Amino acid sequence: MKMGKGNQRGRERKIRFAIALELIFLLAAGSVCIMREWKSRWEESAWESGGRAWSSEQGEAVEVTADGDYIKWVEFQVSCEALTAAYELDVETYEEPVHLNWIELIAYVGAKHGGQFDSGSVRELQQAAEMLRSGESTLEQMTEEMEYYDYYLEAYEAVLGGMVGEFSLQTEEGDMASYYGLKAYSPIAKGFDYSHYDDFGSSRSYGYARPHLGHDMMGQIGTPVICVESGYVEALGWNQYGGWRVGIRSFDGKRYYYYAHLRQNYPYAENLQEGSVVTAGDVIGYMGHTGYSVKENVNNIEVVHLHWGLQLIFDESQKEGDNEIWIDCYELTKFLYRNRSEVAKVGDSREWKRVYEMNDPAVEAYRKSAPAESSGESQPAKDVPAE
């Protein structure tokens, strides 16, 4: 029995449709295989060639070293809770056979999850600590399969490297007592209120459109601003964006602390100048709202606040220009709240001084190594906005 022309054409259309559908599926499957192969090859070469690489567990993009020379980008997303847990484990084990390094613990969790820290991060830190303290495993064994552990370790050491160690602190009796622990301080003196929120990356428009590359802490005019980490004053003076500001470089050169919008007429601590060596916890200036003006000593910022920023420098070419690395300091600021410098007013003056002096071995080491005529190399005033 012959098939009618209409039925035959219908069958042919169905066959053509089935063939087309099968081709589509084959092309899709092939594309997936190609993408997987491309991704695999990209991952293998990322560390050597630079650019973005993929975390194998979460698919989160992280920046790694470029050209095998130095790190080009860091996103610091370690939570206050993770910082606190790792720090307490470090201090707790300081005199134990296995002394846990808080930065290594943080880098371990960071490498596992592409730099992301969530509610389970503290538990992971504690589990890693238990394995290390019991001798069940070593850090080398735990990280040998982590392709980007070295990257996270170097990045987090750049952020936190000068904050924990040995130091001496003056007691109420006036003696100096030795300690091991947090020797970095909150940027705001003890007893002075402030408010803040995570404003890193929000837009700024004065001069030109740009992101906010620091952390704002709102308070009252004249609130003493504290040196977070020991270092030397690299920049001091007027900047049309930051107003009266001061830039302090860590002794290892990896961190540049930027404090801006200081008080009109009396912005700095007495005798502070470029090249001055400062100790963590020292008063370096006073909160205000100067800035947004090419004319000096002008209050053009609407809200009184301290802008403080932390720039990472792996190579001097990153100090100024398009390759600067500024990190989000919100979680770090919350962590540093645990260590606030107590200050006292100096008579009837506008000056405040710290109550308890600190001896930081890093300061002494720097003074011994630096030329007698210069305690720090003065640099040209930085006129690139970070606020």
Side-chain angles (χ1 to χ4, degrees), residues 115-380:
Q116 304 297 313
F117 286 77
D118 57 22
S119 58
S121 298
V122 171
R123 182 57 188 157
E124 285 197 84
L125 287 167
Q126 294 170 339
Q127 290 173 340
E130 289 172 5
M131 294 175 65
L132 294 169
R133 295 173 79 174
S134 67
E136 179 182 346
S137 184
T138 66
L139 188 65
E140 290 75 16
Q141 293 170 336
M142 292 167 60
T143 60
E144 63 183 351
E145 299 298 326
M146 293 183 175
E147 186 175 2
Y148 300 114
Y149 172 75
D150 289 341
Y151 161 78
Y152 282 104
L153 180 61
E154 184 178 355
Y156 293 163
E157 279 184 340
V159 179
L160 306 168
M163 295 190 177
V164 171
E166 295 180 341
F167 62 95
S168 297
L169 190 65
Q170 188 178 22
T171 66
E172 292 183 359
E173 292 75 25
D175 302 323
M176 300 299 292
S178 297
Y179 298 92
Y180 175 85
L182 186 62
K183 59 179 184 176
Y185 284 82
S186 167
I188 301 296
K190 184 177 181 179
F192 290 83
D193 293 333
Y194 66 86
S195 61
H196 68 145
Y197 60 95
D198 193 353
D199 57 347
F200 188 81
S202 59
S203 62
R204 293 291 185 271
S205 59
Y206 174 78
Y208 58 93
R210 61 191 189 281
H212 184 234
L213 299 178
H215 184 61
D216 288 346
M217 304 175 74
M218 282 64 73
Q220 296 183 337
I221 291 178
T223 294
V225 174
I226 302 300
C227 180
V228 172
E229 180 190 348
S230 301
Y232 60 88
V233 177
E234 190 172 74
L236 182 140
W238 182 263
N239 174 304
Q240 66 167 311
Y241 302 96
W244 293 121
R245 90 284 188 254
V246 58
I248 296 175
R249 191 77 170 262
S250 64
F251 294 131
D252 64 6
K254 294 181 180 179
R255 290 168 295 285
Y256 178 77
Y257 294 88
Y258 183 75
Y259 309 82
H261 309 311
L262 303 181
R263 180 171 60 186
Q264 187 182 51
N265 299 323
Y266 201 103
Y268 307 116
E270 188 178 14
N271 298 324
L272 194 72
Q273 57 186 346
E274 286 190 23
S276 294
V277 173
V278 288
T279 300
D282 285 351
V283 177
I284 55 174
Y286 304 95
M287 186 184 294
H289 55 122
T290 59
Y292 284 15
S293 172
V294 293
K295 183 179 178 180
E296 289 190 1
N297 205 34
V298 174
N299 285 329
N300 268 353
I301 303 294
E302 294 182 4
V303 179
V304 175
H305 71 278
L306 167 70
H307 166 105
W308 87 279
L310 178 52
Q311 180 187 7
L312 304 184
I313 303 169
F314 298 93
D315 183 85
E316 283 304 310
S317 64
Q318 298 173 314
K319 180 63 196 304
E320 297 186 21
D322 296 333
N323 298 319
E324 296 177 12
I325 303 174
W326 296 88
I327 66 165
D328 189 339
C329 295
Y330 178 62
E331 296 294 330
L332 182 59
T333 301
K334 293 197 296 181
F335 170 72
L336 292 173
Y337 182 86
R338 66 190 297 131
N339 199 26
R340 302 183 71 188
S341 183
E342 187 171 346
V343 298
K345 201 165 186 298
V346 180
D348 295 330
S349 70
R350 304 174 74 182
E351 191 78 7
W352 292 76
K353 298 284 188 183
R354 69 185 303 164
V355 174
Y356 302 110
E357 295 298 324
M358 183 175 84
N359 290 336
D360 185 351
V363 173
E364 300 307 315
Y366 177 77
R367 283 179 170 151
K368 288 179 180 179
S369 64
E373 66 276 9
S374 174
S375 56
E377 294 182 5
S378 298
Q379 302 292 332

